[in-house]
Amino acid sequence: YGLVFKTGLALAFAISGYILVFVGFNRDLGGEQPASTLLAMKAAYCRIPALFFLIAIIIFARYPITRRMAGEVREKLAARAA
């Protein structure tokens, strides 16, 4: 869990940096960024997570598991643990 969490966090920071470069963020301007940069930042930080969320929904919706299959898996796990 720790390795996956730390890797995900590192990737999130790295991707955020690339997004800032892509949208034209200028560090020297600080909080006085052009309106076009601010709009691009808002769009990127909303649309990219939404896209990945939709991809996740599609993957999970197509995952072939039923209540019967879940019950069988639980039985196998219980038998293995006993």
Side-chain angles (χ1 to χ4, degrees), residues 9-69:
L9 199 56
L11 284 173
F13 283 122
I15 291 170
S16 293
Y18 286 115
I19 290 172
L20 288 174
V21 169
F22 180 74
V23 300
F25 183 83
N26 185 343
R27 183 177 63 125
D28 296 331
L29 295 177
E32 301 298 322
Q33 300 295 319
S36 60
T37 299
L38 295 175
L39 181 62
M41 286 172 60
K42 288 177 188 176
Y45 286 111
C46 292
R47 290 180 182 158
I48 292 172
L51 174 67
F52 282 107
F53 184 72
L54 288 174
I55 290 170
I57 288 174
I58 291 168
I59 289 170
F60 286 122
R62 298 176 140 237
Y63 191 75
I65 192 162
T66 61
R67 289 190 185 274
R68 192 187 92 215
M69 286 177 62

